[in-house]
């Protein structure tokens, strides 16, 4: 392909223009941007978007995308592309005021300045707001208003000055490919040779994806936006050039946002029914009405108008004079779709991207293409993050509609997805229902978080209460399950954890290259290892069991690991997802051996079955692959079997365990137990933005062998560390993403948190500067605006000599 690849970008909306700008800035100038509509008001979502840029988001990556977007568009030359008016999110209820405090915490964690304002201060910032109607507000001074079409064109002009070309009236009809790579894009006008193709087609993205046999899981959705007539108080404030002077205003309790249009107010509304549309049914460019605009349905807007006039009383003097139902894209989890086609090299997508995040996404995509990896971790946005079961048209439609409904909802970090459920269940599902399992959901899996059958355990009385927010999707039963695991023995359903089989003559060499630890051990071994990217960042952590000379079972974190291994696998290695056809029970606790050994003729003694070893065995007549390892820090085994044998395995273990007081334990107890041991969770505690030594995982890195990312890792100089904090208040349990302060200034943020029932303390793992990540350092965790005293602790917090695991 050479040093100057031929790039074709499909779509000249703000995302396509921003990507062309970012790529040409990095020296890739052989770029053709194809647009089926006119330039630059193309008729897509960019053309009608109201242009709000707001940074508060529970996802650090999304906040950083928005922050870069605001910064970049503010600096574009020519007529203004961004006005830093600030953002004001008002709270009309106590629950929303608490949410404002939580959002203030996110922004502090992610390095964005914000302020909690009382009602009077909110009215000073935005005089149209009735202070009597609100509890307060969150003020973000660097939020603002973008001019989307103008920002798109300004970036396109910069790209064209560096050599890119933009062509209108080009309807893409096919994408040519050869030997697993893209070779050209064909339109109704011409053919364009290509080494790299980026689909930035927005709501038409699924149609472009279909040309290359790629499901693009997004749904175009209509969203109401209306404009009022003139308001007396705005007359003379703004002119046609400035348009606005007040902060962008969001009233999430009413599912509303507001911006000025000279002397009028624009009102956006998310409270109406979802209005999905088939991408194939969207009007073509060139029609009298813009393709991304559907007729305004005034009856859907009436509740919004009532709420708007309550918050902004001056609106009673005017009326809604025009409105649209504007289309833009939603996904099943509300996040963008970024990345490369898993089966077609060179075909990339950047879809379901809002104006708010457009420049940030473009920079990340350009870094990914030119440098090999983006600076931000994109795991939550990756195109390939969804499991097969989550990609059905029915699932995508229903969950995307739910994403629309929840745009302004107060969502708890543990809040499970709604319908359709159940999508994926383990073979133990009916048994778990009989025990009163309370299921939450992840990656389509029904996952027990605790069991009502354990409500009468005496240990429930030992569990301290916790605050209202932390009590949601939790029960003191979970604490009892953790305590019983430490005292006796418990069965955990580990089926939802991703399992991959890597096999073939080159399997060992392949895995040696893609992981940091030494896997060249005899069959029967199990090794904890990391997978790094080219920059030395932690891409995943893996548990690799060598089952035979040429066959390995890899415990992974999700679909991104499957895609990564398949992408790199040589021809003599096969990578297969075995999760759907298998299941797993974790049997852990001091009495685990007393439970399992009588059920098998295989030696499960400490001498006969060492720690981090695996064996094929029969347990109660069920063929299993047993691995002696534990994510909860107790003696025990992970027992894997085929899905058709799962129910029998559960029943055999359950019946044999009654004399020992066995219980079924859920995910909530599991999380507490793993934090007491200091075991990391990839995606929460560390990502590609962190290296192994910063994350406290240097023990899994063997520098005496070569592996992907080794050279870059040797040059990294991390100045931060992941460390445990213990909160002084036993009832204060935080949930993650809270800012950590030392000497009154924010210095880091919480990753994972839970109450440690065994150690009797509230645990919060956090990233801190290395100089502060020292046991004994005093700190405060900001939680709903309160400062909770904490201290950095030595890890592991429980069983530092590892006696329990190795008993």
């Amino acid at each position: 392909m050479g040093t100057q690849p031929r790039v074709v970008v499909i779509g000249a909306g703000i995302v396509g223009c921003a990507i062309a700008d970012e790529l040409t800035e990095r020296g890739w100038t052989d770029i053709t941007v194809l647009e089926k509509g006119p330039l630059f008001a193309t008729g897509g979502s960019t053309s009608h978007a109201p242009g709000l840029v707001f940074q508060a988001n529970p996802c650090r990556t999304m906040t950083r995308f928005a922050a870069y977007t605001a910064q970049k568009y503010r600096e574009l030359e020519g007529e203004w592309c961004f006005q830093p008016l600030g953002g004001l999110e008002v709270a009309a209820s106590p629950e929303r005021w608490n949410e404002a405090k939580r959002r203030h915490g996110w922004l502090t964690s992610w390095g964005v300045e914000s302020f909690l304002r009382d009602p009077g201060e909110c009215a000073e910032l935005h005089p149209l707001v009735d202070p009597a109607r609100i509890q307060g507000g969150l003020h973000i001074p660097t939020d603002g208003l973008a001019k989307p079409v103008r920002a798109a064109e300004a970036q396109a002009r910069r790209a064209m000055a560096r050599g890119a070309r933009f062509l209108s009236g080009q309807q893409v009809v096919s994408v040519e490919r050869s030997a697993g790579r893209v070779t050209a894009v064909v339109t109704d006008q011409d053919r364009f040779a290509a080494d790299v193709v980026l689909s930035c087609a927005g709501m038409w993205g699924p149609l472009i994806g279909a040309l290359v046999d790629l499901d693009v899981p997004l749904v175009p959705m209509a969203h109401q936006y209306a404009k009022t007539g003139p308001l007396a108080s705005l007359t003379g404030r703004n002119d046609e050039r400035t348009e606005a002077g007040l902060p962008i205003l969001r009233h999430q309790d009413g599912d509303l946002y507001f911006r000025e249009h000279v002397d009028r107010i624009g009102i956006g509304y998310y409270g109406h029914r979802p209005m999905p549309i088939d991408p194939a049914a969207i009007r073509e460019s060139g029609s009298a009405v813009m393709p991304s605009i559907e007729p305004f349905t005034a009856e859907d807007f009436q509740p919004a108008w009532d709420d708007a006039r309550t918050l902004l009383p001056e609106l009673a003097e005017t009326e809604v004079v025009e409105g649209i139902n504007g289309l833009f894209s939603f996904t099943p989890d509300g996040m963008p779709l970024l990345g490369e086609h898993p089966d077609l090299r060179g075909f990339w997508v950047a879809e379901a991207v809002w104006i708010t995040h457009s420049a940030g996404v473009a920079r990340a995509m350009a870094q990914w293409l030119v440098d090999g990896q983006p600076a931000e971790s994109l795991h939550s946005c990756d195109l390939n993050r969804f499991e097969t079961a989550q990609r059905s048209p029915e699932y995508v439609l229903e969950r995307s509609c739910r994403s629309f409904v929840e745009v302004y909802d107060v969502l708890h970090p543990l809040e499970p997805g709604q319908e359709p459920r159940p999508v994926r269940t383990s073979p133990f599902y009916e048994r778990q229902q009989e025990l009163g399992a309370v299921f939450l959901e992840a990656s389509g899996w029904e996952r027990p978080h605790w069991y009502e059958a354990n409500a009468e355990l005496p240990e429930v009385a030992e569990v301290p209460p916790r605050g209202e927010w932390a009590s949601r999707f939790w029960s003191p039963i979970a604490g009892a399950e953790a305590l019983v695991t430490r005292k006796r023995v418990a069965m955990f359903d580990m089926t939802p954890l991703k399992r991959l089989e890597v096999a073939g003559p080159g399997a060992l060499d392949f895995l040696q290259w893609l992981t940091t630890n030494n896997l060249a051990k005899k069959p029967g071994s199990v090794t904890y290892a990391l997978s790094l990217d080219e920059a030395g960042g932690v891409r995943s952590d893996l548990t690799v069991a060598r089952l035979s000379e040429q066959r390995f079972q890899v415990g992974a974190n999700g679909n991104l690991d499957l895609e990564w291994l398949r992408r790199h696998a040589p021809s003599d290695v096969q990578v297969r997802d075995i999760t759907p056809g298998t299941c797993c029970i974790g049997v852990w606790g001091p009495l685990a051996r007393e439970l399992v050994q009588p059920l098998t003729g295989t030696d499960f003694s400490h001498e006969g079955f060492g720690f981090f070893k695996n064996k094929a065995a029969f347990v109660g007549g069920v063929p299993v692959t047993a691995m002696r390892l534990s994510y909860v820090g107790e003696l025990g085994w992970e027992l894997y079997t085929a899905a058709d044998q799962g129910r029998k395995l559960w029943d055999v273990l359950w019946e044999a365990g009654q004399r020992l007081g066995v219980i079924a334990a859920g995910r909530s107890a599991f999380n507490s137990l793993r934090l007491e041991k200091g075991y990391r969770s990839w995606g929460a505690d560390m990502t590609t933005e962190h290296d192994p030594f910063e994350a406290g995982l240097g023990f899994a890195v063997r520098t005496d062998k070569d592996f992907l990312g080794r050279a870059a890792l040797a040059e990294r100089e991390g100045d931060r560390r992941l460390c445990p904090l213990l909160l002084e208040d036993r009832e204060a349990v935080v949930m993650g993403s809270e800012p950590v302060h030392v000497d009154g200034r924010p210095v880091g943020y919480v990753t994972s948190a839970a109450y440690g029932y065994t150690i009797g303390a509230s645990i919060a793992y956090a990233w801190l500067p290395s100089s502060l990540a020292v046991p004994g350092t005093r700190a405060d965790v900001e939680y709903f605006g309160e400062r909770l005293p904490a201290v950095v602790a030595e890890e592991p917090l429980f069983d530092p000599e590892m006696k329990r695991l190795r008993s």
Side-chain angles (χ1 to χ4, degrees):
M1 190 163 61
T3 58
Q4 185 61 245
R6 298 164 298 179
V7 180
V8 173
V9 178
I10 302 173
I14 198 167
V15 177
C17 292
I19 286 178
D21 181 34
E22 296 286 340
L23 285 174
T24 55
E25 186 177 37
R26 287 163 175 78
W28 282 21
T29 57
D30 188 354
I31 294 175
T32 301
V33 181
L34 303 176
E35 171 55 51
K36 67 177 181 177
L39 299 175
F40 284 92
T42 64
S45 300
T46 301
S47 302
H48 72 255
L52 279 68
V53 176
F54 47 86
Q55 298 164 84
N57 196 293
C59 175
R60 181 168 178 260
T61 295
M62 297 297 280
T63 295
R64 290 171 73 173
F65 284 167
Y68 179 73
T69 299
Q71 172 196 328
K72 180 181 182 181
Y73 292 173
R74 186 167 59 245
E75 297 171 355
L76 289 174
E77 295 180 357
E79 279 195 276
W80 71 268
C81 293
F82 181 85
Q83 290 183 288
L85 304 172
L88 180 63
E89 300 180 357
V90 294
S93 64
E95 182 183 34
R96 186 66 64 175
W97 181 230
N98 279 333
E99 174 73 352
K101 297 173 183 177
R102 188 166 72 114
R103 294 168 74 82
H104 170 67
W106 297 340
L107 289 163
T108 304
S109 291
W110 314 146
V112 177
E113 184 181 50
S114 66
F115 302 92
L116 293 167
R117 305 296 192 187
D118 64 32
E121 291 171 322
C122 291
E124 288 180 16
L125 288 164
H126 201 300
L128 295 183
V129 171
D130 181 357
R133 297 291 182 179
I134 61 175
Q135 308 258 324
L138 174 64
H139 178 216
I140 308 100
T142 50
D143 282 359
L145 187 63
K147 193 76 169 173
V149 174
R150 191 180 292 165
E153 182 171 359
Q155 293 174 98
R157 298 292 177 196
R158 298 200 325 181
M160 286 189 279
R162 302 183 189 112
R165 58 176 176 164
F166 283 70
L167 303 176
S168 62
Q170 298 281 343
Q171 173 78 51
V172 174
V173 295
S174 67
V175 177
E176 296 180 358
R177 44 192 149 167
S178 176
R181 288 202 63 90
V182 294
T183 57
V185 174
V186 179
T187 72
D188 56 355
Q189 305 293 322
D190 207 343
R191 178 184 181 275
F192 302 88
D195 304 301
V196 175
V197 176
L198 284 91
S199 176
C200 305
M203 57 192 184
W204 291 284
L207 304 182
I208 300 298
L211 299 177
V212 289
D213 306 312
L214 175 68
D215 292 328
V216 178
L218 67 78
V219 176
M221 206 87 66
H223 161 58
Q224 292 199 299
Y225 190 77
K227 293 181 183 178
T228 70
L231 292 178
S233 65
L234 296 183
T235 301
R237 271 186 71 105
N238 313 302
D239 57 29
E240 294 290 339
R241 185 179 61 82
T242 61
E243 289 192 35
L246 296 176
I248 59 173
L249 178 66
R250 299 209 288 170
H251 173 37
Q252 287 104 320
D253 283 310
D255 290 305
L256 293 164
Y257 63 83
F258 306 87
R259 59 151 292 187
E260 292 169 281
H261 292 276
V262 189
D263 60 351
R264 303 162 187 257
I265 292 290
I267 307 170
Y269 183 44
Y270 285 108
H272 56 79
R273 60 191 169 89
M275 303 178 192
I277 186 170
D278 187 331
I282 299 172
R283 280 187 301 274
E284 289 298 321
S285 300
S287 58
V289 180
M290 188 184 298
S292 61
I293 291 179
E294 291 291 305
F296 187 63
T297 50
E299 65 278 10
D300 290 305
F301 194 75
Q302 189 58 48
W305 184 233
D306 294 340
D307 284 346
R309 286 180 295 177
T310 299
L311 180 68
L312 309 179
E314 192 177 338
L315 294 182
E317 301 173 7
T318 186
E319 60 185 356
V320 173
V321 297
E322 61 179 294
I324 62 169
N325 286 6
L327 298 177
F328 67 128
S329 303
F330 279 80
T331 61
D333 58 4
M335 299 292 280
L337 301 170
L338 312 176
E340 190 177 14
H341 193 310
D343 300 313
L344 181 61
R345 298 297 170 259
F347 187 91
W348 294 72
V349 303
E351 306 288 21
V353 180
W354 292 9
I355 303 297
T356 298
H357 310 110
S358 54
V361 164
R363 179 177 64 170
M365 294 300 294
Q367 291 169 340
W368 205 347
L369 285 161
V370 178
D371 304 329
Q373 65 279 318
E376 285 87 13
S377 173
L378 301 186
H379 69 279
S380 60
C381 311
D382 197 298
L383 167 71
N384 298 296
R385 67 188 179 271
F386 295 110
E387 298 285 330
T388 303
Q390 298 174 291
R391 301 184 77 101
S392 73
E394 295 79 8
Y395 183 97
V396 171
L397 175 61
E398 198 155 354
R399 285 293 174 94
S400 297
C401 287
R402 188 70 195 176
S403 293
F404 178 89
V405 170
E406 293 178 343
V407 164
Y408 280 171
D409 285 2
V410 176
L411 298 176
H412 192 276
L414 294 177
E415 193 153 343
Q418 302 299 319
E419 297 302 320
R421 285 181 66 187
V423 174
R424 310 177 80 186
T425 59
S426 80
F428 325 127
Y429 182 62
E430 286 74 21
R431 293 292 186 257
Q432 292 164 344
Q433 288 179 307
E434 292 165 5
L435 294 172
V438 176
F439 294 97
L440 302 188
E441 185 255 13
S443 298
W445 286 102
E446 297 296 319
R447 304 175 75 172
H449 271 243
W450 68 87
Y451 294 84
E452 290 295 332
N454 295 325
E456 302 305 317
L457 289 170
E459 288 82 2
V460 172
E462 301 176 32
V463 177
R466 55 174 65 183
E468 188 275 334
W469 184 252
S471 293
R472 298 187 190 185
F473 306 104
W474 174 84
S475 167
I477 297 170
E481 292 173 1
L483 291 169
V484 170
T485 303
R486 296 273 190 239
K487 291 178 182 178
R488 299 195 298 275
V489 62
M491 293 164 51
F492 292 81
D493 181 2
M494 306 301 289
T495 303
L497 300 186
K498 195 77 164 177
R499 291 174 295 285
L500 309 176
E501 182 183 83
V502 180
L508 175 59
D509 290 341
F510 167 60
L511 289 172
Q512 283 282 67
W513 167 244
L514 278 190
T515 64
T516 59
N517 216 333
N518 180 28
L519 307 182
K521 303 172 184 177
K522 294 179 180 179
S525 65
V526 181
T527 306
Y528 178 79
L530 306 174
S531 176
L532 306 184
D533 64 14
E534 291 86 346
V538 181
R539 209 193 140 78
S540 189
D541 64 338
L542 309 169
T543 303
V544 184
R546 191 171 193 181
L547 305 183
S548 66
E549 287 292 334
Q550 297 186 6
R551 187 164 64 95
F552 296 79
Q553 181 172 311
V554 178
N557 283 294
N559 216 51
L560 296 184
D561 293 320
L562 172 63
E563 195 272 336
W564 181 253
L565 291 175
R566 281 181 170 169
R567 182 177 297 276
H568 289 85
S571 59
D572 62 347
V573 173
Q574 296 79 48
V575 179
R576 189 165 64 97
D577 183 2
I578 61 172
T579 314
T582 57
C583 58
C584 178
I585 300 174
V587 183
W588 292 309
L591 303 182
R593 185 173 286 114
E594 292 185 44
L595 171 54
V596 178
Q597 185 63 83
L599 298 173
T600 181
T602 303
D603 185 0
F604 271 60
S605 69
H606 180 60
E607 296 75 20
F609 199 152
F611 190 55
F612 265 80
K613 301 294 183 183
N614 79 80
K615 284 187 178 184
F618 286 89
V619 172
V622 177
V624 302
T625 297
M627 299 186 194
R628 189 176 169 194
L629 58 151
S630 169
Y631 206 46
V632 302
E634 292 292 333
L635 168 69
W637 292 265
E638 293 180 357
L639 302 176
Y640 297 88
T641 192
D644 64 339
Q645 295 279 287
R647 178 79 67 83
K648 182 178 180 182
L649 179 62
W650 179 281
D651 290 345
V652 164
L653 292 167
W654 184 255
E655 182 178 349
Q658 294 308 301
R659 65 184 178 85
L660 302 173
V662 71
I663 64 165
R667 213 42 213 185
S668 185
F670 180 90
N671 194 51
S672 169
L673 295 167
R674 69 104 178 163
L675 283 178
E676 287 184 329
K677 283 300 294 178
Y679 294 149
R680 278 51 168 157
S681 175
W682 187 85
D685 297 319
M686 72 279 188
T687 68
T688 53
E689 296 179 25
H690 311 104
D691 71 47
F693 301 102
E694 293 175 319
L697 299 174
F699 66 88
V701 178
R702 288 287 297 268
T703 55
D704 59 349
K705 73 159 201 172
D706 199 12
F707 53 82
L708 181 64
R710 180 177 181 269
L713 184 61
E715 296 179 1
R716 292 178 69 130
E717 297 180 3
D719 59 354
R720 57 191 170 173
R721 292 292 182 272
L722 183 64
C723 61
L725 299 170
L726 297 181
L727 277 61
E728 290 184 0
D729 185 347
R730 288 189 61 191
E731 296 184 17
V733 180
V734 301
M735 305 301 296
S737 298
E738 296 84 3
V740 178
H741 301 258
V742 173
D743 295 331
R745 61 188 180 90
V747 295
Y749 60 91
V750 174
T751 58
S752 296
Y755 190 80
Y757 304 101
T758 317
I759 65 172
S762 187
I763 306 166
Y765 266 79
W767 282 102
L768 296 179
S770 300
S771 60
L772 299 175
V774 178
T777 299
R778 307 295 304 180
D780 295 303
V781 178
E782 182 181 328
Y783 187 59
F784 288 97
E786 301 290 326
R787 300 288 177 90
L788 306 178
V791 63
V792 177
E794 193 85 43
E795 62 174 338
L797 302 170
F798 175 77
D799 189 25
E801 297 178 357
M802 307 285 279
K803 291 181 178 179
R804 314 266 299 203
L805 281 167
R806 302 180 184 279
S807 60

